[in-house]
Amino acid sequence: LQARLEKALPGLSIQVVSASQDKSRLVILATAATNPGTYYLLDRKTSKMMVIAAPFDRLRSKKLADMDSVSYTARDGLDIPAYLTLPAGRTPKNLPMVVMPHGGPFARDEWGFDTWAQFLASRGYVVLQPNFRGSTGYGRQFVEKGNGQWGRGMQDDIDDGVKWLVARGMVDAKRVCIMGASFGGYAAEWGAVRNPDIYRCAISFAGV
């Protein structure tokens, strides 16, 4: 079923988000980094699919920022996967940045449409979303590297992402902010305390 859906809606991230009790009718969400998404109702008996909702419809005429999958090396040699959103139409040189660590912390960011990243990019900011050690989706060993590393190795991974982009000349070291929710809010608060030399400001939403 997943293969058929991906063939019918190429280039999109596709999820089954709801189903009837007998699984004959499914609600499908199809999105992309530059596509706010469309909900479809699929009738598996007739193999017909119809649009039932298209959220953020006023964004569909706007030029949205693409999200790239990247990776960088932390100070202890660990490879850190991340997502990088660059403001559309801007030369990626000495730009201001917001680094956005995810919540959890035993969770992860994924490729796709992100309202916060798109809002910030539309204002000219580079957005980095690091899947620091302890993030899920990269194997048990990567998750376990996060044990006992709140404010330590996890924080190093976030800081090292900033340093990586500054070293590449993409980001202005004097204009970097850190923001997040839940554990990301904790990381933002701790970043301001531990590394005021790196972060110009910090924003915590529901920080631990």
Side-chain angles (χ1 to χ4, degrees):
L1 174 62
Q2 184 72 24
R4 289 174 60 201
L5 288 168
E6 289 174 1
K7 186 176 180 181
L9 301 166
L12 299 176
S13 175
I14 299 167
Q15 295 174 283
V16 176
V17 295
S18 188
S20 60
Q21 192 167 3
D22 65 358
K23 303 294 191 293
S24 65
R25 290 184 297 168
L26 307 175
V27 176
I28 309 296
L29 173 61
T31 66
T34 57
N35 182 335
T38 302
Y39 288 91
Y40 298 88
L41 179 64
L42 170 65
D43 187 325
R44 299 182 72 182
K45 293 179 180 177
T46 63
S47 293
K48 291 185 178 180
M49 194 159 61
M50 60 180 286
V51 175
I52 55 174
F56 305 107
D57 57 322
R58 285 186 291 177
L59 292 181
R60 293 179 186 274
S61 61
K62 308 294 184 183
K63 184 175 177 59
L64 300 181
D66 207 358
M67 176 188 283
D68 291 324
S69 178
V70 298
S71 66
Y72 57 91
T73 303
R75 64 192 68 184
D76 64 353
L78 184 64
D79 187 58
I80 305 299
Y83 294 101
L84 182 65
T85 302
L86 300 175
R90 297 284 300 276
T91 301
K93 184 176 182 182
N94 290 325
L95 294 176
M97 181 173 82
V98 176
V99 58
M100 249 180 12
H102 61 71
F106 301 104
R108 63 163 292 173
D109 277 315
E110 297 181 353
W111 181 86
F113 181 75
D114 186 300
T115 52
W116 287 15
Q118 288 295 335
F119 174 80
L120 291 167
S122 75
R123 267 58 181 173
Y125 293 96
V126 172
V127 181
L128 179 68
Q129 296 171 269
N131 280 320
F132 43 81
R133 67 192 66 207
S135 299
T136 55
Y138 302 99
R140 180 173 177 173
Q141 187 177 16
F142 193 84
V143 172
E144 290 179 346
K145 285 184 181 295
N147 292 343
Q149 294 302 310
W150 286 46
R152 297 173 179 169
M154 289 176 168
Q155 204 76 27
D156 291 343
D157 295 345
I158 297 165
D159 296 345
D160 290 346
V162 175
K163 294 174 182 177
W164 171 66
L165 288 171
V166 168
R168 295 183 67 186
M170 299 174 71
V171 167
D172 181 353
K174 295 180 180 179
R175 295 187 293 163
V176 178
C177 181
I178 181 170
M179 70 175 272
S182 187
F183 173 82
Y186 163 88
E189 294 171 27
W190 193 235
V193 171
R194 196 182 84 150
N195 296 105
D197 56 318
I198 297 177
Y199 302 107
R200 178 98 177 254
C201 66
I203 301 167
S204 174
F205 176 76
V208 177

